[in-house]
């Protein structure tokens, strides 16, 4: 472990630079933002010298406090005026660099998509600059006072960091030799661009081929990162194995198999200050495992808010999710009549695919007492749903980690999940053996089919009608350690290994 205590003769704390395109709460499209806010903070609390690099989107630029210009960068990636800033973001003590490049980043809304819902046409330059800047910092010199020993890049947006470092040779300006860790949060998103645009990246010509960022005739930024990163991680051990086979490899399984000796999985944690039922300011009443009265109050408040019948005896199943094919909410729609017929209620908070949005709205119109649907993005409602529901559904076809099932565990809201990726690693099915051994934390089904989901829901319903057993599972769920403590230590060990062995 790279531990890291201050004092004479002790090694200096390991310097780690996280590089990403989102950060909760100011720029968030999914769980990546939660991880990028919470992991560096947990690592800092554990004694690492951690910093964060993000594009200066308007929300971040405006919120950055104590801003200093670290270095002018000048013209780069089509932008005339680029500078590296440093400061801190609200609620965080992690020193944060922003790449100030108004031409590329000073745009409202989603970090990847324009107002028409299409990717910004210059995303190659926007995320090229992100990777390139991180590599400049890592190679030493851009911030004369601070050079990281490890650069931890997240997803395709930051996947060019190892590529740019490889392009300049391993040693940096001052002989520094930063190691790179690339975390794949979701292999489905790869950063794909026409090969003809390779020249915009300023990389050596050989990298336009199969040994570089080219893949099947296109540029794929994630593939480039996978080729050159010193360590590759995914956000759960099961997902790190699943992606080695064609079914879940999103075409990159071959590349990943080639690098399997560098690949491992570390299950995410959740921010236990933001997601804590005992202190959560967004919910109707706080509660903990020793007194669940507040949870019953949260359920009634949520039923009222969503216009559902105020029935404490009706099991309420909630979903907080992007509405994409990955998340399997079409499966839940198919089994909805059975669940409602058995006396259940459903609450859905999400947005995404217009057809799914439409179908869920229609389901709510057809049964307003039993189905509550909010299409949109609402952080407060997400908390009220996790607190007020009895069950949280995550019927994803694949799920690298998944965070909402862990929020559910913490709030005693039992997860109903497909046995894949991080869902398999974080939820224990309430089968007879697990109940007997007091290990059960939820309901797990083995196939992404309506039948399998329906069976899991029947199982959950059966549990609901046995309150003593249900309470036992709720308490076991709430006792899980879903914090960042263990994963932060695992990353620290991985960094130390990368620094020692390359
Ligand atoms: P993914 O990153 O694939 O979307 P995760 O489960 O890792 O899945 O993370 C999703 C995150 O986004 C969670 O923090 C969840 O609460 C949040 N979220 C998703 N949809 C919404 C929404 N409509 N409103 C509020 N929060 C949402
Ligand atoms: C991705 C994955 C999700 C994971 C999140 C944070 O968005 O889809 O499973 O929890 O990243 O790592």
């Amino acid at each position: 472990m790279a531990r890291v205590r201050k004092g004479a003769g002790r090694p200096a704390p390991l310097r780690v630079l996280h590089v990403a395109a989102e950060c909760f709460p100011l720029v968030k499209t999914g769980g990546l933002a939660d991880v990028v806010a919470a992991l560096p903070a947990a690592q800092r609390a554990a004694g690492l010298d951690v910093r964060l690099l993000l594009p200066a989107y308007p929300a971040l630029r405006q919120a950055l406090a104590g801003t200093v210009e670290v270095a002018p960068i000048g013209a780069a990636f089509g932008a005339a005026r680029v500078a590296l800033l440093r400061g801190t973001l609200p609620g965080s003590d992690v020193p944060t660099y922003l790449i100030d490049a108004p031409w590329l980043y000073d745009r409202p809304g989603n970090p990847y998509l324009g107002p028409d819902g299409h990717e910004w046409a210059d995303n190659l330059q926007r995320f090229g600059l992100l990777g390139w800047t991180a590599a400049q910092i890592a190679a030493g010199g851009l911030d004369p006072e601070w050079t990281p020993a490890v650069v931890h890049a997240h997803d395709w947006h930051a996947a060019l960091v190892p590529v740019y470092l490889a392009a300049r040779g391993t040693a940096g300006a001052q002989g520094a030799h930063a190691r790179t860790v690339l975390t794949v949060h979701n292999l489905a998103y790869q950063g794909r661009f026409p090969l003809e645009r390779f020249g915009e990246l300023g990389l050596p010509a050989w990298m336009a081929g199969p040994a570089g960022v080219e893949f099947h005739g296109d540029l794929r930024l994630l593939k480039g990162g996978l080729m050159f990163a010193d360590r590759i991680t995914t956000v759960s051990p099961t997902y790190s194995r699943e992606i080695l086979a064609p079914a879940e490899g999103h075409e990159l399984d071959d590349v990943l198999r080639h690098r399997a000796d560098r690949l491992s999985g570390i299950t995410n944690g959740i921010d236990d200050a933001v997601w804590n039922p005992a202190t959560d300011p967004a919910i109707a009443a706080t509660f903990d495992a020793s007194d669940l009265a507040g949870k019953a109050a949260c359920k009634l408040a949520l039923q009222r808010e969503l216009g559902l019948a105020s029935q404490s005896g009706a099991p309420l199943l909630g979903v907080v999710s992007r509405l994409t094919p990955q998340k399997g909410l079409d499966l839940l729609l198919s089994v909805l009549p059975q669940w409602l017929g058995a006396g259940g209620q459903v609450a859905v908070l999400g947005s995404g695919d217009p057809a799914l949005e439409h179908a869920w709205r229609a389901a709510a119109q057809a049964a307003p007492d039993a189905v509550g649907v909010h299409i949109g993005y609402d952080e407060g409602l997400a908390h009220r749903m996790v607190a007020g529901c009895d069950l949280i559904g995550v019927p994803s076809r694949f799920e690298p980690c998944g965070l909402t099932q862990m929020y559910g565990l913490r709030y005693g809201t039992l997860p109903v999940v497909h046995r894949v990726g991080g869902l398999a690693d974080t939820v224990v099915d309430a089968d007879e053996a697990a109940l007997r051994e007091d290990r059960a934390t939820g309901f797990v089904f083995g196939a992404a089919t309506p039948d399998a989901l329906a069976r899991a829901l029947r199982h959950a319903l059966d549990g609901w009608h046995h309150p003593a057993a249900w309470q036992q599972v709720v308490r076991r769920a709430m006792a899980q350690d879903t914090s960042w403590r263990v994963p932060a230590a695992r990353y620290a060990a991985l960094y130390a290994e990368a620094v020692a062995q390359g």
Side-chain angles (χ1 to χ4, degrees), residues 31-32 35 185-186 235 268 322 326-327 399-403:
L32 171 66
V35 173
H185 293 261
N186 193 333
V235 285
N268 287 330
R322 294 183 289 120
Q326 173 192 342
K327 300 292 182 178
E399 195 60 78
C401 180
L403 297 178

Side-chain angles (χ1 to χ4, degrees), residues 157-482:
H157 326 113
L160 287 177
V161 179
V163 181
Y164 280 112
L165 281 171
R168 45 183 306 152
T170 47
Q174 288 135 31
H177 184 170
R179 308 300 191 195
T180 52
V181 176
L182 174 60
T183 293
V184 179
H185 293 261
N186 193 333
L187 197 63
Y189 303 99
Q190 300 181 357
R192 200 165 168 164
F193 301 91
L195 187 59
E196 290 68 34
R197 295 185 59 185
F198 176 78
E200 295 171 36
L201 293 174
L203 288 165
W206 67 269
M207 284 191 166
V213 290
E214 185 269 348
F215 191 67
H216 291 199
D218 277 332
L219 295 176
R220 292 219 204 161
L221 305 195
L222 184 64
K223 182 262 181 177
L226 294 175
M227 296 293 286
F228 298 107
D230 292 308
R231 293 291 181 284
I232 300 165
T233 69
T234 64
V235 285
S236 68
T238 296
Y239 190 62
S240 75
R241 293 187 294 272
E242 288 169 346
I243 57 178
L244 294 176
E248 294 303 335
H250 294 275
E251 301 182 316
L252 289 177
D253 48 295
D254 208 13
V255 175
L256 285 160
R257 280 196 300 277
H258 173 68
R259 306 239 45 221
D261 62 328
R262 301 302 178 104
L263 172 67
S264 61
I266 298 177
T267 306
N268 287 330
I270 60 172
D271 189 326
D272 52 10
V274 174
W275 292 94
N276 181 356
T279 57
D280 192 332
I283 63 180
T286 54
F287 59 93
D288 61 29
S290 68
D291 181 2
L292 291 165
K295 185 161 176 64
C298 287
K299 178 172 177 180
L300 279 173
L302 180 67
Q303 285 172 324
R304 262 198 304 278
E305 178 174 357
L306 296 177
L308 300 170
S310 298
Q311 292 169 352
S312 59
L316 174 52
L317 169 70
V319 174
V320 179
S321 184
R322 294 183 289 120
L323 300 180
T324 65
Q326 173 192 342
K327 300 292 182 178
L329 293 178
D330 50 316
L331 300 174
L332 186 55
L333 270 174
S334 333
V335 303
L336 196 59
Q338 287 155 269
W339 179 248
L340 301 185
Q345 297 183 338
V346 171
V348 173
L349 167 61
S351 64
D353 179 13
L356 272 172
E357 290 184 354
H358 177 78
W360 275 105
R361 275 205 184 97
Q365 269 158 19
D369 282 359
V371 182
V373 172
H374 183 96
I375 299 297
Y377 188 91
D378 186 332
E379 200 67 40
L381 181 54
H383 282 249
R384 295 194 292 282
M385 291 205 17
V386 170
C389 290
D390 302 301
L391 295 157
I392 186 140
V394 194
S396 308
R397 295 193 158 77
F398 69 93
E399 195 60 78
C401 180
L403 297 178
T404 60
Q405 84 281 8
M406 288 198 270
Y407 302 153
L409 291 172
R410 188 101 208 274
Y411 283 66
T413 305
L414 301 184
V416 181
V417 303
H418 182 200
R419 188 180 289 110
V420 284
L423 302 174
D425 292 343
T426 54
V427 183
V428 178
D429 183 46
D431 61 20
E432 272 178 36
L435 282 171
R436 207 171 41 243
E437 293 155 16
D438 193 15
R439 292 183 292 110
T441 59
F443 304 93
V444 184
F445 56 100
T449 61
D451 277 357
L453 173 56
R455 262 197 306 281
L457 288 175
R458 278 200 298 278
H459 187 192
L461 200 65
D462 186 47
W464 177 251
H465 292 305
H466 292 88
W470 184 272
Q471 289 307 318
Q472 177 196 316
V473 181
V474 165
R475 283 180 218 289
R476 176 55 48 211
M478 293 180 84
Q480 298 304 296
D481 181 2
T482 47

